[in-house]
mmCIF file of all heavy atoms in Angstrom:
data_model
loop_
_atom_site.group_PDB
_atom_site.id
_atom_site.type_symbol
_atom_site.label_atom_id
_atom_site.label_comp_id
_atom_site.label_asym_id
_atom_site.label_seq_id
_atom_site.Cartn_x
_atom_site.Cartn_y
_atom_site.Cartn_z
ATOM 1 N N ILE Y 1 11.575 -8.773 1.865
ATOM 2 C CA ILE Y 1 11.990 -7.472 2.362
ATOM 3 C C ILE Y 1 12.376 -7.646 3.843
ATOM 4 O O ILE Y 1 11.575 -8.199 4.608
ATOM 5 C CB ILE Y 1 10.854 -6.445 2.203
ATOM 6 C CG1 ILE Y 1 10.645 -6.226 0.684
ATOM 7 C CG2 ILE Y 1 11.216 -5.097 2.871
ATOM 8 C CD1 ILE Y 1 9.431 -5.377 0.364
ATOM 9 N N PRO Y 2 13.550 -7.226 4.226
ATOM 10 C CA PRO Y 2 13.994 -7.463 5.600
ATOM 11 C C PRO Y 2 13.076 -6.891 6.692
ATOM 12 O O PRO Y 2 12.521 -5.787 6.529
ATOM 13 C CB PRO Y 2 15.385 -6.744 5.684
ATOM 14 C CG PRO Y 2 15.812 -6.698 4.241
ATOM 15 C CD PRO Y 2 14.542 -6.534 3.425
ATOM 16 N N ASP Y 3 12.873 -7.647 7.732
ATOM 17 C CA ASP Y 3 12.009 -7.201 8.854
ATOM 18 C C ASP Y 3 12.487 -5.872 9.419
ATOM 19 O O ASP Y 3 11.722 -5.052 9.895
ATOM 20 C CB ASP Y 3 11.980 -8.250 9.950
ATOM 21 C CG ASP Y 3 11.085 -9.464 9.597
ATOM 22 O OD1 ASP Y 3 10.150 -9.302 8.838
ATOM 23 O OD2 ASP Y 3 11.416 -10.543 10.080
ATOM 24 N N ALA Y 4 13.809 -5.659 9.414
ATOM 25 C CA ALA Y 4 14.406 -4.439 10.012
ATOM 26 C C ALA Y 4 13.981 -3.170 9.314
ATOM 27 O O ALA Y 4 14.158 -2.079 9.881
ATOM 28 C CB ALA Y 4 15.910 -4.551 9.995
ATOM 29 N N TRP Y 5 13.373 -3.293 8.140
ATOM 30 C CA TRP Y 5 12.957 -2.115 7.397
ATOM 31 C C TRP Y 5 11.540 -1.629 7.806
ATOM 32 O O TRP Y 5 11.057 -0.638 7.312
ATOM 33 C CB TRP Y 5 12.959 -2.371 5.903
ATOM 34 C CG TRP Y 5 14.359 -2.597 5.362
ATOM 35 C CD1 TRP Y 5 15.502 -2.668 6.083
ATOM 36 C CD2 TRP Y 5 14.699 -2.731 3.990
ATOM 37 N NE1 TRP Y 5 16.560 -2.883 5.245
ATOM 38 C CE2 TRP Y 5 16.093 -2.945 3.935
ATOM 39 C CE3 TRP Y 5 13.975 -2.773 2.791
ATOM 40 C CZ2 TRP Y 5 16.802 -3.121 2.738
ATOM 41 C CZ3 TRP Y 5 14.649 -2.939 1.595
ATOM 42 C CH2 TRP Y 5 16.038 -3.117 1.574
ATOM 43 N N PHE Y 6 10.903 -2.322 8.743
ATOM 44 C CA PHE Y 6 9.553 -1.998 9.147
ATOM 45 C C PHE Y 6 9.532 -1.450 10.590
ATOM 46 O O PHE Y 6 10.404 -1.806 11.425
ATOM 47 C CB PHE Y 6 8.658 -3.259 9.120
ATOM 48 C CG PHE Y 6 8.486 -3.863 7.759
ATOM 49 C CD1 PHE Y 6 9.390 -4.744 7.243
ATOM 50 C CD2 PHE Y 6 7.386 -3.500 6.975
ATOM 51 C CE1 PHE Y 6 9.214 -5.312 6.008
ATOM 52 C CE2 PHE Y 6 7.195 -4.066 5.732
ATOM 53 C CZ PHE Y 6 8.124 -4.958 5.230
ATOM 54 N N TYR Y 7 8.554 -0.638 10.904
ATOM 55 C CA TYR Y 7 8.340 -0.259 12.298
ATOM 56 C C TYR Y 7 8.111 -1.516 13.117
ATOM 57 O O TYR Y 7 7.312 -2.403 12.713
ATOM 58 C CB TYR Y 7 7.082 0.594 12.413
ATOM 59 C CG TYR Y 7 7.306 2.077 12.036
ATOM 60 C CD1 TYR Y 7 6.596 2.608 10.960
ATOM 61 C CD2 TYR Y 7 8.129 2.897 12.761
ATOM 62 C CE1 TYR Y 7 6.743 3.964 10.613
ATOM 63 C CE2 TYR Y 7 8.291 4.232 12.420
ATOM 64 C CZ TYR Y 7 7.604 4.761 11.369
ATOM 65 O OH TYR Y 7 7.776 6.091 11.042
ATOM 66 N N SER Y 8 8.786 -1.663 14.200
ATOM 67 C CA SER Y 8 8.679 -2.821 15.101
ATOM 68 C C SER Y 8 9.223 -4.090 14.529
ATOM 69 O O SER Y 8 9.085 -5.191 15.108
ATOM 70 C CB SER Y 8 7.235 -3.044 15.569
ATOM 71 O OG SER Y 8 6.737 -1.903 16.258
ATOM 72 N N GLY Y 9 9.877 -4.037 13.343
ATOM 73 C CA GLY Y 9 10.514 -5.177 12.758
ATOM 74 C C GLY Y 9 9.617 -6.421 12.627
ATOM 75 O O GLY Y 9 8.470 -6.282 12.162
ATOM 76 N N ALA Y 10 10.082 -7.556 13.061
ATOM 77 C CA ALA Y 10 9.332 -8.789 12.929
ATOM 78 C C ALA Y 10 8.109 -8.773 13.827
ATOM 79 O O ALA Y 10 7.200 -9.616 13.660
ATOM 80 C CB ALA Y 10 10.234 -9.988 13.291
ATOM 81 N N GLN Y 11 8.046 -7.842 14.782
ATOM 82 C CA GLN Y 11 6.923 -7.768 15.704
ATOM 83 C C GLN Y 11 5.854 -6.769 15.214
ATOM 84 O O GLN Y 11 4.945 -6.406 15.985
ATOM 85 C CB GLN Y 11 7.410 -7.361 17.096
ATOM 86 C CG GLN Y 11 8.485 -8.268 17.659
ATOM 87 C CD GLN Y 11 8.095 -9.742 17.668
ATOM 88 O OE1 GLN Y 11 6.993 -10.066 18.087
ATOM 89 N NE2 GLN Y 11 8.986 -10.601 17.254
ATOM 90 N N ARG Y 12 6.000 -6.321 13.977
ATOM 91 C CA ARG Y 12 5.024 -5.375 13.473
ATOM 92 C C ARG Y 12 3.622 -5.989 13.498
ATOM 93 O O ARG Y 12 3.513 -7.220 13.512
ATOM 94 C CB ARG Y 12 5.397 -4.903 12.044
ATOM 95 C CG ARG Y 12 5.364 -5.977 10.983
ATOM 96 C CD ARG Y 12 5.898 -5.386 9.704
ATOM 97 N NE ARG Y 12 5.866 -6.282 8.560
ATOM 98 C CZ ARG Y 12 6.742 -7.229 8.310
ATOM 99 N NH1 ARG Y 12 7.749 -7.400 9.161
ATOM 100 N NH2 ARG Y 12 6.630 -7.988 7.229
ATOM 101 N N PRO Y 13 2.547 -5.160 13.463
ATOM 102 C CA PRO Y 13 1.196 -5.683 13.578
ATOM 103 C C PRO Y 13 0.897 -6.817 12.569
ATOM 104 O O PRO Y 13 1.203 -6.652 11.371
ATOM 105 C CB PRO Y 13 0.326 -4.461 13.345
ATOM 106 C CG PRO Y 13 1.188 -3.323 13.771
ATOM 107 C CD PRO Y 13 2.558 -3.704 13.425
ATOM 108 N N ALA Y 14 0.321 -7.879 13.052
ATOM 109 C CA ALA Y 14 0.022 -9.021 12.176
ATOM 110 C C ALA Y 14 -0.949 -8.630 11.049
ATOM 111 O O ALA Y 14 -0.866 -9.175 9.933
ATOM 112 C CB ALA Y 14 -0.591 -10.156 13.007
ATOM 113 N N ALA Y 15 -1.846 -7.650 11.325
ATOM 114 C CA ALA Y 15 -2.810 -7.238 10.300
ATOM 115 C C ALA Y 15 -2.055 -6.623 9.121
ATOM 116 O O ALA Y 15 -2.443 -6.901 7.929
ATOM 117 C CB ALA Y 15 -3.794 -6.226 10.896
ATOM 118 N N LEU Y 16 -1.070 -5.809 9.380
ATOM 119 C CA LEU Y 16 -0.280 -5.249 8.285
ATOM 120 C C LEU Y 16 0.503 -6.303 7.544
ATOM 121 O O LEU Y 16 0.513 -6.329 6.321
ATOM 122 C CB LEU Y 16 0.681 -4.173 8.831
ATOM 123 C CG LEU Y 16 0.143 -2.796 9.161
ATOM 124 C CD1 LEU Y 16 1.202 -1.939 9.782
ATOM 125 C CD2 LEU Y 16 -0.433 -2.118 7.919
ATOM 126 N N LYS Y 17 1.110 -7.182 8.264
ATOM 127 C CA LYS Y 17 1.926 -8.226 7.626
ATOM 128 C C LYS Y 17 1.069 -9.130 6.792
ATOM 129 O O LYS Y 17 1.512 -9.621 5.747
ATOM 130 C CB LYS Y 17 2.627 -9.052 8.714
ATOM 131 C CG LYS Y 17 3.760 -9.919 8.169
ATOM 132 C CD LYS Y 17 4.537 -10.523 9.331
ATOM 133 C CE LYS Y 17 5.750 -11.335 8.806
ATOM 134 N NZ LYS Y 17 6.586 -11.874 9.885
ATOM 135 N N SER Y 18 -0.190 -9.330 7.176
ATOM 136 C CA SER Y 18 -1.085 -10.192 6.427
ATOM 137 C C SER Y 18 -1.440 -9.682 5.025
ATOM 138 O O SER Y 18 -1.888 -10.447 4.186
ATOM 139 C CB SER Y 18 -2.394 -10.438 7.210
ATOM 140 O OG SER Y 18 -3.201 -9.259 7.217
ATOM 141 N N LEU Y 19 -1.232 -8.375 4.808
ATOM 142 C CA LEU Y 19 -1.523 -7.785 3.501
ATOM 143 C C LEU Y 19 -0.506 -8.195 2.455
ATOM 144 O O LEU Y 19 -0.810 -8.270 1.283
ATOM 145 C CB LEU Y 19 -1.547 -6.262 3.597
ATOM 146 C CG LEU Y 19 -2.628 -5.610 4.389
ATOM 147 C CD1 LEU Y 19 -2.333 -4.096 4.501
ATOM 148 C CD2 LEU Y 19 -4.014 -5.808 3.752
ATOM 149 N N GLU Y 20 0.714 -8.455 2.936
ATOM 150 C CA GLU Y 20 1.808 -8.709 1.980
ATOM 151 C C GLU Y 20 1.634 -9.973 1.185
ATOM 152 O O GLU Y 20 1.284 -11.024 1.715
ATOM 153 C CB GLU Y 20 3.143 -8.721 2.770
ATOM 154 C CG GLU Y 20 3.458 -7.383 3.379
ATOM 155 C CD GLU Y 20 4.505 -7.376 4.461
ATOM 156 O OE1 GLU Y 20 5.120 -8.433 4.690
ATOM 157 O OE2 GLU Y 20 4.675 -6.336 5.120
ATOM 158 N N GLY Y 21 1.827 -9.841 -0.129
ATOM 159 C CA GLY Y 21 1.609 -10.993 -1.027
ATOM 160 C C GLY Y 21 0.187 -11.030 -1.589
ATOM 161 O O GLY Y 21 -0.115 -11.875 -2.445
ATOM 162 N N LYS Y 22 -0.654 -10.089 -1.166
ATOM 163 C CA LYS Y 22 -2.017 -10.053 -1.647
ATOM 164 C C LYS Y 22 -2.226 -8.899 -2.639
ATOM 165 O O LYS Y 22 -1.482 -7.925 -2.592
ATOM 166 C CB LYS Y 22 -3.018 -9.956 -0.455
ATOM 167 C CG LYS Y 22 -2.989 -11.146 0.429
ATOM 168 C CD LYS Y 22 -3.980 -10.999 1.589
ATOM 169 C CE LYS Y 22 -3.927 -12.237 2.492
ATOM 170 N NZ LYS Y 22 -4.864 -12.122 3.635
ATOM 171 N N PRO Y 23 -3.258 -8.994 -3.466
ATOM 172 C CA PRO Y 23 -3.490 -7.902 -4.418
ATOM 173 C C PRO Y 23 -3.849 -6.601 -3.740
ATOM 174 O O PRO Y 23 -4.576 -6.598 -2.684
ATOM 175 C CB PRO Y 23 -4.639 -8.413 -5.281
ATOM 176 C CG PRO Y 23 -5.313 -9.510 -4.464
ATOM 177 C CD PRO Y 23 -4.212 -10.065 -3.639
ATOM 178 N N ALA Y 24 -3.347 -5.499 -4.265
ATOM 179 C CA ALA Y 24 -3.672 -4.209 -3.708
ATOM 180 C C ALA Y 24 -5.153 -3.887 -3.864
ATOM 181 O O ALA Y 24 -5.738 -4.215 -4.894
ATOM 182 C CB ALA Y 24 -2.815 -3.144 -4.358
ATOM 183 N N LEU Y 25 -5.722 -3.255 -2.861
ATOM 184 C CA LEU Y 25 -7.127 -2.889 -2.880
ATOM 185 C C LEU Y 25 -7.333 -1.486 -3.451
ATOM 186 O O LEU Y 25 -6.491 -0.605 -3.270
ATOM 187 C CB LEU Y 25 -7.686 -2.995 -1.471
ATOM 188 C CG LEU Y 25 -7.544 -4.371 -0.788
ATOM 189 C CD1 LEU Y 25 -7.868 -4.285 0.683
ATOM 190 C CD2 LEU Y 25 -8.398 -5.396 -1.487
ATOM 191 N N ALA Y 26 -8.457 -1.313 -4.095
ATOM 192 C CA ALA Y 26 -8.731 -0.007 -4.740
ATOM 193 C C ALA Y 26 -8.844 1.068 -3.671
ATOM 194 O O ALA Y 26 -9.199 0.836 -2.542
ATOM 195 C CB ALA Y 26 -10.051 -0.117 -5.510
ATOM 196 N N LEU Y 27 -8.497 2.306 -4.093
ATOM 197 C CA LEU Y 27 -8.608 3.456 -3.195
ATOM 198 C C LEU Y 27 -10.020 4.008 -3.211
ATOM 199 O O LEU Y 27 -10.582 4.206 -4.322
ATOM 200 C CB LEU Y 27 -7.638 4.560 -3.659
ATOM 201 C CG LEU Y 27 -6.180 4.140 -3.828
ATOM 202 C CD1 LEU Y 27 -5.347 5.370 -4.277
ATOM 203 C CD2 LEU Y 27 -5.620 3.548 -2.555
ATOM 204 N N THR Y 28 -10.609 4.180 -2.048
ATOM 205 C CA THR Y 28 -11.938 4.777 -1.941
ATOM 206 C C THR Y 28 -11.802 6.114 -1.257
ATOM 207 O O THR Y 28 -11.708 6.174 -0.002
ATOM 208 C CB THR Y 28 -12.851 3.830 -1.113
ATOM 209 O OG1 THR Y 28 -12.847 2.523 -1.680
ATOM 210 C CG2 THR Y 28 -14.309 4.372 -1.128
ATOM 211 N N THR Y 29 -11.761 7.168 -2.049
ATOM 212 C CA THR Y 29 -11.459 8.505 -1.530
ATOM 213 C C THR Y 29 -12.461 9.531 -2.015
ATOM 214 O O THR Y 29 -13.254 9.236 -2.948
ATOM 215 C CB THR Y 29 -10.032 8.950 -1.902
ATOM 216 O OG1 THR Y 29 -9.922 8.955 -3.318
ATOM 217 C CG2 THR Y 29 -8.971 7.934 -1.343
ATOM 218 N N GLU Y 30 -12.414 10.734 -1.406
ATOM 219 C CA GLU Y 30 -13.412 11.744 -1.713
ATOM 220 C C GLU Y 30 -12.887 12.953 -2.486
ATOM 221 O O GLU Y 30 -13.562 13.462 -3.361
ATOM 222 C CB GLU Y 30 -14.038 12.243 -0.396
ATOM 223 C CG GLU Y 30 -14.842 11.161 0.325
ATOM 224 C CD GLU Y 30 -15.479 11.699 1.610
ATOM 225 O OE1 GLU Y 30 -15.030 12.739 2.104
ATOM 226 O OE2 GLU Y 30 -16.386 11.067 2.114
ATOM 227 N N GLU Y 31 -11.732 13.446 -2.138
ATOM 228 C CA GLU Y 31 -11.220 14.647 -2.723
ATOM 229 C C GLU Y 31 -9.724 14.446 -3.087
ATOM 230 O O GLU Y 31 -9.036 13.643 -2.431
ATOM 231 C CB GLU Y 31 -11.317 15.840 -1.753
ATOM 232 C CG GLU Y 31 -12.758 16.151 -1.363
ATOM 233 C CD GLU Y 31 -12.792 17.290 -0.340
ATOM 234 O OE1 GLU Y 31 -12.133 18.335 -0.624
ATOM 235 O OE2 GLU Y 31 -13.471 17.178 0.679
ATOM 236 N N TRP Y 32 -9.286 15.186 -4.083
ATOM 237 C CA TRP Y 32 -7.872 15.077 -4.536
ATOM 238 C C TRP Y 32 -7.233 16.445 -4.646
ATOM 239 O O TRP Y 32 -7.882 17.414 -5.033
ATOM 240 C CB TRP Y 32 -7.783 14.397 -5.905
ATOM 241 C CG TRP Y 32 -8.048 12.926 -5.833
ATOM 242 C CD1 TRP Y 32 -9.251 12.279 -5.842
ATOM 243 C CD2 TRP Y 32 -7.080 11.871 -5.754
ATOM 244 N NE1 TRP Y 32 -9.086 10.913 -5.752
ATOM 245 C CE2 TRP Y 32 -7.755 10.621 -5.708
ATOM 246 C CE3 TRP Y 32 -5.678 11.877 -5.692
ATOM 247 C CZ2 TRP Y 32 -7.096 9.418 -5.632
ATOM 248 C CZ3 TRP Y 32 -4.993 10.675 -5.627
ATOM 249 C CH2 TRP Y 32 -5.702 9.444 -5.558
ATOM 250 N N ILE Y 33 -5.981 16.534 -4.314
ATOM 251 C CA ILE Y 33 -5.162 17.697 -4.601
ATOM 252 C C ILE Y 33 -4.091 17.117 -5.536
ATOM 253 O O ILE Y 33 -3.219 16.340 -5.153
ATOM 254 C CB ILE Y 33 -4.474 18.286 -3.361
ATOM 255 C CG1 ILE Y 33 -5.554 18.763 -2.372
ATOM 256 C CG2 ILE Y 33 -3.548 19.418 -3.739
ATOM 257 C CD1 ILE Y 33 -4.958 19.239 -1.023
ATOM 258 N N GLY Y 34 -4.143 17.514 -6.798
ATOM 259 C CA GLY Y 34 -3.308 16.897 -7.798
ATOM 260 C C GLY Y 34 -4.155 15.895 -8.643
ATOM 261 O O GLY Y 34 -5.351 15.759 -8.460
ATOM 262 N N ASP Y 35 -3.489 15.175 -9.537
ATOM 263 C CA ASP Y 35 -4.184 14.264 -10.402
ATOM 264 C C ASP Y 35 -4.752 13.086 -9.634
ATOM 265 O O ASP Y 35 -4.068 12.516 -8.763
ATOM 266 C CB ASP Y 35 -3.262 13.784 -11.506
ATOM 267 C CG ASP Y 35 -2.764 14.831 -12.435
ATOM 268 O OD1 ASP Y 35 -3.518 15.843 -12.611
ATOM 269 O OD2 ASP Y 35 -1.681 14.696 -13.023
ATOM 270 N N ARG Y 36 -5.963 12.712 -9.991
ATOM 271 C CA ARG Y 36 -6.618 11.523 -9.399
ATOM 272 C C ARG Y 36 -5.871 10.278 -9.840
ATOM 273 O O ARG Y 36 -5.532 10.146 -11.024
ATOM 274 C CB ARG Y 36 -8.053 11.451 -9.757
ATOM 275 C CG ARG Y 36 -8.838 10.345 -9.090
ATOM 276 C CD ARG Y 36 -10.321 10.418 -9.468
ATOM 277 N NE ARG Y 36 -11.085 9.449 -8.719
ATOM 278 C CZ ARG Y 36 -11.259 8.171 -9.036
ATOM 279 N NH1 ARG Y 36 -10.728 7.707 -10.134
ATOM 280 N NH2 ARG Y 36 -11.970 7.370 -8.300
ATOM 281 N N VAL Y 37 -5.666 9.354 -8.954
ATOM 282 C CA VAL Y 37 -4.962 8.109 -9.268
ATOM 283 C C VAL Y 37 -5.847 6.891 -8.953
ATOM 284 O O VAL Y 37 -6.514 6.832 -7.927
ATOM 285 C CB VAL Y 37 -3.646 7.988 -8.413
ATOM 286 C CG1 VAL Y 37 -2.980 6.651 -8.592
ATOM 287 C CG2 VAL Y 37 -2.683 9.089 -8.769
ATOM 288 N N THR Y 38 -5.875 5.930 -9.905
ATOM 289 C CA THR Y 38 -6.466 4.639 -9.629
ATOM 290 C C THR Y 38 -5.392 3.598 -9.813
ATOM 291 O O THR Y 38 -4.528 3.716 -10.737
ATOM 292 C CB THR Y 38 -7.671 4.319 -10.596
ATOM 293 O OG1 THR Y 38 -7.183 4.304 -11.950
ATOM 294 C CG2 THR Y 38 -8.756 5.333 -10.421
ATOM 295 N N LEU Y 39 -5.362 2.601 -8.988
ATOM 296 C CA LEU Y 39 -4.285 1.591 -9.042
ATOM 297 C C LEU Y 39 -4.302 0.777 -10.320
ATOM 298 O O LEU Y 39 -3.267 0.446 -10.830
ATOM 299 C CB LEU Y 39 -4.399 0.705 -7.796
ATOM 300 C CG LEU Y 39 -4.266 1.390 -6.441
ATOM 301 C CD1 LEU Y 39 -4.267 0.348 -5.338
ATOM 302 C CD2 LEU Y 39 -3.013 2.258 -6.393
ATOM 303 N N SER Y 40 -5.508 0.506 -10.822
ATOM 304 C CA SER Y 40 -5.602 -0.330 -11.989
ATOM 305 C C SER Y 40 -4.924 0.300 -13.215
ATOM 306 O O SER Y 40 -4.353 -0.394 -14.048
ATOM 307 C CB SER Y 40 -7.067 -0.638 -12.320
ATOM 308 O OG SER Y 40 -7.820 0.541 -12.507
ATOM 309 N N GLU Y 41 -4.983 1.648 -13.320
ATOM 310 C CA GLU Y 41 -4.378 2.321 -14.480
ATOM 311 C C GLU Y 41 -2.891 2.353 -14.417
ATOM 312 O O GLU Y 41 -2.192 2.668 -15.414
ATOM 313 C CB GLU Y 41 -4.969 3.725 -14.636
ATOM 314 C CG GLU Y 41 -4.476 4.709 -13.557
ATOM 315 C CD GLU Y 41 -5.095 6.092 -13.754
ATOM 316 O OE1 GLU Y 41 -5.661 6.341 -14.790
ATOM 317 O OE2 GLU Y 41 -4.994 6.879 -12.790
ATOM 318 N N HIS Y 42 -2.326 2.035 -13.238
ATOM 319 C CA HIS Y 42 -0.879 2.071 -13.064
ATOM 320 C C HIS Y 42 -0.268 0.698 -12.898
ATOM 321 O O HIS Y 42 0.881 0.570 -12.396
ATOM 322 C CB HIS Y 42 -0.513 3.003 -11.898
ATOM 323 C CG HIS Y 42 -0.742 4.434 -12.193
ATOM 324 N ND1 HIS Y 42 -0.072 5.135 -13.164
ATOM 325 C CD2 HIS Y 42 -1.637 5.309 -11.632
ATOM 326 C CE1 HIS Y 42 -0.518 6.379 -13.189
ATOM 327 N NE2 HIS Y 42 -1.459 6.524 -12.292
ATOM 328 N N ARG Y 43 -1.013 -0.361 -13.313
ATOM 329 C CA ARG Y 43 -0.410 -1.674 -13.317
ATOM 330 C C ARG Y 43 0.818 -1.666 -14.211
ATOM 331 O O ARG Y 43 0.790 -1.138 -15.300
ATOM 332 C CB ARG Y 43 -1.430 -2.698 -13.833
ATOM 333 C CG ARG Y 43 -0.954 -4.153 -13.821
ATOM 334 C CD ARG Y 43 -0.763 -4.673 -12.414
ATOM 335 N NE ARG Y 43 -1.924 -4.514 -11.571
ATOM 336 C CZ ARG Y 43 -2.978 -5.329 -11.591
ATOM 337 N NH1 ARG Y 43 -3.006 -6.357 -12.431
ATOM 338 N NH2 ARG Y 43 -3.994 -5.179 -10.799
ATOM 339 N N GLY Y 44 1.910 -2.236 -13.745
ATOM 340 C CA GLY Y 44 3.150 -2.161 -14.475
ATOM 341 C C GLY Y 44 4.144 -1.173 -13.851
ATOM 342 O O GLY Y 44 5.328 -1.133 -14.193
ATOM 343 N N LYS Y 45 3.638 -0.361 -12.898
ATOM 344 C CA LYS Y 45 4.488 0.595 -12.182
ATOM 345 C C LYS Y 45 4.550 0.214 -10.697
ATOM 346 O O LYS Y 45 3.720 -0.573 -10.204
ATOM 347 C CB LYS Y 45 3.961 2.014 -12.319
ATOM 348 C CG LYS Y 45 3.955 2.536 -13.756
ATOM 349 C CD LYS Y 45 3.462 3.943 -13.825
ATOM 350 C CE LYS Y 45 3.512 4.481 -15.271
ATOM 351 N NZ LYS Y 45 3.079 5.902 -15.367
ATOM 352 N N VAL Y 46 5.510 0.755 -10.001
ATOM 353 C CA VAL Y 46 5.611 0.593 -8.574
ATOM 354 C C VAL Y 46 4.803 1.746 -7.890
ATOM 355 O O VAL Y 46 4.977 2.887 -8.281
ATOM 356 C CB VAL Y 46 7.076 0.629 -8.076
ATOM 357 C CG1 VAL Y 46 7.163 0.615 -6.560
ATOM 358 C CG2 VAL Y 46 7.807 -0.601 -8.653
#
């Protein structure tokens, strides 16, 4: 994905960039407006 599509481009925070290519982490949340979503149930979708 081109660097130009990110805030600060290639200089974006290293911590954010380090997430890319790694498995998504589960959502730890308290309240929902709308249907509750878990990432595991949506494997196969973007």
Side-chain angles (χ1 to χ4, degrees):
I1 295 172
D3 286 330
W5 294 5
F6 297 86
Y7 280 117
S8 302
Q11 305 305 314
R12 66 188 183 276
L16 280 175
K17 195 170 183 178
S18 71
L19 293 172
E20 295 164 8
K22 296 181 179 178
L25 303 169
L27 306 180
T28 306
T29 60
E30 293 180 343
E31 300 178 48
W32 287 84
I33 300 174
D35 295 334
R36 185 177 187 274
V37 172
T38 61
L39 300 184
S40 59
E41 70 181 346
H42 290 295
R43 183 66 56 80
K45 297 182 178 180
V46 172

